[in-house]
Amino acid sequence: MLLIVLAYLGGVLTIVSPCILPVLPFVFSRAGQPFMRNGLPLLAGMALTFAAVASLAAVGGGWVVAANQYGRWLALALVAVFALTLLLPHLSERLTRPLVAAGSRLSESVATDGTPRMGSSVVQGIATGLLWAPCAGPILGLILTGAALQGANATSTLLLLAYALGAATSMAAALLLGGKVFAALKRSLGAGEWLRRGLGAAMLAGVAAIALGLGTGVLARFSITSTGGIEQKLIERLNKPLDGEANLARSIQEPATPPAEGPAMLAVGDAIRVAGPSGEASALPDEGIAPSLDGATQWLQSPPLTNQSLRGKVVLIDFWTYSCINCLRTLPYIKAWAEKYRDQGLVVVGVHAPEFAFERDINNVTRAMKDLGISYPVAVDNQYAIWRAFKNQYWPAHYFIDATGHIRHHHFGEGDYAESERVIQQLLKEAGSSQTATGLTEVDAQGVQLAASMNEVRSPETYLGYERAENFASTPKAVHDRSAAYVGPERPELNTWGLVGQWVVGPESATLSAPSGRIVYRFQARDLHLVLSPGPKGKPVRFKVSIDGKPPGDAHGMDAAADGSGTVTAQRLYQLVRQPGDIAEHTFSIEFLDAGVSAYAFTFG
């Protein structure tokens, strides 16, 4: 329920978003008509169409994107016709006759007296819903990302519908107010015809703005109103009761803290304690029969495993993805447990559920597994079938299954390794193992797998794609899906970042379209990582890292030299900074000498 409220409030805020401006004339074209017969049908059609199209786009493939593009142009043409009927009454009469003759009441644009009918309001609402492209602030980014991973289900569509109804509510209020203003002007000025034509001209201007991409480009660039900060504060406010939980998992939703309720998970603070201070074991609860692993698109290093074939074994399911820094830091323990307890009846199964598109590539996954030294079975879950079966929400997430096939414990995120190992030991004893080890594993992690220094981290995970980007400080504001020249912030504040040079900002990443582009970030943490992809066809991209304008020296990460130089050769996470000694705020900069590189997300440790 909390997420539905959050989605609704996020929709309400869109009325002040710059990219809603081109749509407003379509709504206000009904301002002079009865609300129940004209305004309400329009807003209902708009909300329902947006929810349907957004649901399909979140879970569909390229065909959905292409279909939506054609749909947008058809909708633009339809709305342009509506605008012309307001401007030109004679055109309205001509258009109406063949529609009436065909018996198409729903498609009838206007009556012969120029007064819009309910059917035309619905049609215009559907067209407006296709054209509606609100700024993807934190709340809509949360919903769309969750929908993409959860798949086509009622919850995803309900959240999108709540968002759309929130926007419709704020626009309904504006429409009711606009109707009163419209009626007052007609009475005082006697200028109903001119007002109607003015609305027609405004609608045509809105069509032109959307066709030229001004809704998400020029208008956003000059707007002094941004909903992103308001939405982020709203998210943080509603998630405040969960603040302070240590080592939270990297969630599919933003920010990376668990929702307050939902069918998918228990909060981190509810994790079951299985050993007291003296190490004695306590009873583990039964969390239900483990879901099937049948949904994997491919199995690596093993034939397909089933619940039946695993019966009698203790199973540890590890949801991970190879560019996730939280997953990488848990791997030393997962690998150690797989080796230590293999002969005693433990089977570790990695479920690789991709976050970014490049993580769906089997070659990338197998290369990463080899580099990371993963030898246990891995189920490739590119369609998120296993993810949904477990109702999972996090990277990493660990589910502990006993020999009878029941989930007995779970843990989300990093940390609590001693507790998790005691769970394994207890389940092995329950399964009848007579030689279960009792000591706890110590690991010597290196590189990116070294545990984070969380008490020094003040910078959050930050995405560069516009669907989830926050705190972008370059000029102009991000232009979606088109190449633009950016000027970076001269003195960025903590946790703000920017682009310098010619970049294309896409949904997932920012791609450099000309050589010598930079990314800057003001951060505070021991480690700084950046998920990067090389140029087309894997062409290497050279880069140069600096900290406060100087080479990193002994603060360089494992993927950068002391002079800051390095090369992007694969689609993965790169460790660029690891600071020794005291940690303070610094300005990080990475300059790419070659075009084609794509940057996805900053993470810290």
Side-chain angles (χ1 to χ4, degrees):
M1 186 64 187
L2 182 63
L3 284 179
I4 294 175
V5 173
L6 184 68
Y8 179 81
L9 293 177
V12 171
L13 292 173
T14 60
I15 193 69
V16 297
S17 178
C19 51
I20 204 70
L21 294 180
V23 175
L24 290 179
F26 311 158
V27 177
F28 283 124
S29 68
R30 305 286 170 175
Q33 306 301 326
F35 179 76
M36 296 301 295
R37 287 184 53 83
N38 293 279
L40 185 60
L42 179 142
L43 294 174
M46 177 179 171
L48 291 173
T49 303
F50 170 80
V53 171
S55 296
L56 287 174
V59 299
W63 66 271
V64 176
V65 177
N68 190 44
Q69 288 301 317
Y70 290 123
R72 282 172 61 84
W73 285 110
L74 179 62
L76 278 173
L78 181 61
V79 174
V81 170
F82 273 99
L84 289 173
T85 59
L86 290 174
L87 275 170
L88 306 171
H90 295 295
L91 177 64
S92 169
E93 294 177 7
R94 292 182 180 181
L95 287 175
T96 302
R97 291 193 192 103
L99 292 174
V100 173
S104 180
R105 295 182 179 180
L106 181 64
S107 301
E108 183 178 345
S109 61
V110 290
T112 54
D113 61 356
T115 302
R117 296 182 179 177
M118 184 180 293
S120 70
S121 295
V122 175
V123 173
Q124 187 174 326
I126 293 172
T128 305
L130 289 171
L131 297 176
W132 179 19
C135 295
I139 292 176
L140 185 58
L142 180 154
I143 298 169
L144 291 175
T145 306
L149 292 178
Q150 295 288 344
N153 58 42
T155 301
S156 299
T157 300
L158 184 61
L159 289 173
L160 287 164
L161 183 59
Y163 187 92
L165 290 176
T169 299
S170 58
M171 281 190 268
L175 185 57
L176 290 170
L177 178 62
K180 294 180 179 179
V181 173
F182 188 92
L185 288 174
K186 287 177 67 176
R187 288 194 303 268
S188 61
L189 300 179
E193 179 68 19
W194 288 106
L195 286 174
R196 187 172 62 81
R197 292 185 178 184
L199 286 171
M203 288 178 68
L204 286 178
V207 168
I210 292 174
L212 295 174
L214 300 183
T216 55
V218 174
L219 288 176
R221 192 178 308 174
F222 290 105
S223 175
I224 60 173
T225 304
S226 174
T227 63
I230 302 173
E231 290 184 43
Q232 187 58 47
K233 289 179 181 178
L234 182 61
I235 292 173
E236 293 171 356
R237 179 68 176 174
L238 291 178
N239 280 294
K240 191 173 183 180
L242 291 167
D243 288 348
E245 296 286 3
N247 297 320
L248 291 173
R250 179 181 185 182
S251 170
I252 65 166
Q253 300 174 336
E254 291 298 311
T257 52
E261 63 175 0
M265 82 296 285
L266 296 174
V268 176
D270 294 332
I272 306 301
R273 296 294 167 186
V274 299
S278 61
E280 71 277 7
S282 61
L284 291 168
D286 185 342
E287 299 181 9
I289 298 175
S292 170
L293 300 175
D294 293 342
T297 56
Q298 189 170 341
W299 282 85
L300 303 176
Q301 301 182 153
S302 169
L305 299 177
T306 64
N307 290 18
Q308 188 62 35
S309 67
L310 291 170
R311 193 62 53 87
K313 299 286 188 179
V314 174
V315 181
L316 168 56
I317 302 292
D318 172 30
F319 283 92
W320 72 297
T321 186
Y322 80 82
S323 76
C324 163
I325 186 60
N326 309 84
C327 302
L328 295 175
R329 291 195 289 243
T330 63
L331 274 180
Y333 291 91
I334 303 295
K335 293 188 296 181
W337 296 336
E339 182 67 25
K340 180 177 179 179
Y341 297 103
R342 179 178 55 199
D343 296 336
Q344 300 170 43
L346 176 69
V347 177
V348 174
V349 178
V351 178
H352 188 273
E355 179 177 20
F356 300 117
F358 65 78
E359 291 174 309
R360 297 173 180 270
D361 189 319
I362 296 298
N363 292 328
N364 285 345
V365 178
T366 54
R367 185 185 302 113
M369 289 172 57
K370 181 179 179 180
D371 293 342
L372 295 168
I374 295 174
S375 58
Y376 48 79
V378 170
V380 178
D381 194 25
N382 279 353
Q383 302 302 319
Y384 308 103
I386 304 175
W387 179 288
R388 291 195 294 271
F390 275 79
K391 297 181 179 178
N392 186 50
Q393 294 278 344
Y394 303 97
W395 293 288
H398 304 138
Y399 296 87
F400 299 81
I401 303 170
D402 66 16
T404 67
H406 287 241
I407 298 175
R408 300 290 298 283
H409 185 65
H410 65 271
H411 183 268
F412 303 138
E414 303 176 51
D416 290 337
Y417 300 114
E419 177 185 41
S420 294
E421 187 166 6
R422 289 192 184 103
V423 170
I424 294 171
Q425 293 172 353
Q426 182 169 336
L427 293 180
L428 288 172
K429 290 177 182 177
E430 290 182 10
S433 175
S434 59
Q435 298 179 343
T436 302
T438 57
L440 297 178
T441 300
E442 294 184 5
V443 302
D444 182 21
Q446 302 293 326
V448 296
Q449 298 184 40
L450 180 65
S453 180
M454 295 306 298
N455 61 319
E456 298 174 321
V457 175
R458 291 183 57 202
S459 295
E461 182 173 20
T462 302
Y463 293 89
L464 279 67
Y466 61 73
E467 282 187 348
R468 289 186 281 177
E470 298 174 35
N471 301 326
F472 182 66
S474 283
T475 304
K477 297 295 184 183
V479 179
H480 296 185
D481 301 316
R482 290 188 291 115
S483 182
Y486 294 94
V487 177
E490 294 184 4
R491 296 181 179 178
E493 297 179 356
L494 180 64
N495 299 330
T496 62
W497 63 282
L499 302 172
V500 180
Q502 198 78 24
W503 292 82
V504 177
V505 179
E508 278 195 341
S509 63
T511 301
L512 183 63
S513 54
S516 298
R518 290 191 296 123
I519 306 175
V520 296
Y521 194 114
R522 183 75 173 175
F523 77 104
Q524 181 170 330
R526 183 195 67 195
D527 301 338
L528 179 147
H529 315 97
L530 184 56
V531 178
L532 296 168
S533 174
K537 299 182 179 179
K539 181 181 178 181
V541 175
R542 299 165 297 158
F543 64 77
K544 199 88 168 180
V545 166
S546 66
I547 301 176
D548 297 329
K550 301 176 182 178
D554 59 359
H556 71 92
M558 63 181 296
D559 292 304
D563 66 354
S565 62
T567 306
V568 181
T569 57
Q571 296 171 314
R572 62 177 178 87
L573 178 144
Y574 288 76
Q575 186 187 80
L576 302 174
V577 174
R578 167 156 288 169
Q579 299 182 74
D582 296 335
I583 305 304
E585 287 188 30
H586 296 286
T587 298
F588 165 86
S589 175
I590 180 168
E591 180 181 7
F592 299 100
L593 306 182
D594 310 297
V597 69
S598 295
Y600 292 79
F602 283 98
T603 57
F604 303 90

